[in-house]
Amino acid sequence: MTAELDPIIHPTHRLRICAMLVAGTTVELSVIKDHLDLSPSALSKQVAALVDAGYVKQERLGSDTRRVWLSMTRQGLKAYRGHVAALQEIVNATTVIPADQQS
């Protein structure tokens, strides 16, 4: 195995947050909250871990300072891609094709 799991991204909610940010570039925090069905405090804790690691950027855009936007940093995108590659390696290494389905 060459890729390694990232301990910051690995918890399920953080992995899902990263997946949403990679798919959406910049996503409003309330959209993530609704999608993950997390309490504000639980979401804040997960986002803070990603921000503290330098994986996610959190900012308020425009005149409405109540709205918080999240986006992946380059470092975060690199870590996310490495984490996904490690997961894929695990799946590929443990997937057994039944003999009757092998070509």
Side-chain angles (χ1 to χ4, degrees):
M1 181 183 302
T2 57
E4 293 187 24
L5 295 174
D6 187 296
I8 303 296
I9 295 175
H10 194 66
T12 305
H13 291 304
R14 291 184 207 157
L15 180 59
R16 293 180 70 196
I17 290 167
C18 290
M20 288 182 70
L21 295 177
V22 167
T25 309
T26 300
V27 181
E28 188 177 357
L29 187 62
S30 65
V31 171
I32 293 173
K33 178 188 166 297
D34 292 344
H35 184 75
L36 298 182
D37 195 29
L38 287 173
S39 69
S41 62
L43 178 59
S44 177
K45 180 179 178 181
Q46 300 306 316
V47 169
L50 294 167
V51 169
D52 291 347
Y55 291 177
V56 171
K57 180 172 66 171
Q58 180 175 312
E59 58 190 338
R60 298 175 191 276
L61 302 173
S63 60
D64 188 354
T65 58
R66 296 171 296 171
R67 296 173 74 182
V68 176
W69 297 85
L70 302 177
S71 58
M72 294 290 284
T73 64
R74 286 183 190 195
Q75 178 185 355
L77 185 56
K78 182 179 177 183
Y80 174 77
R81 287 180 176 156
H83 188 80
V84 170
L87 290 172
Q88 191 62 55
E89 285 181 13
I90 292 168
V91 170
N92 291 343
T94 58
T95 301
V96 178
I97 301 172
D100 63 337
Q101 294 181 6
Q102 294 179 2
S103 42

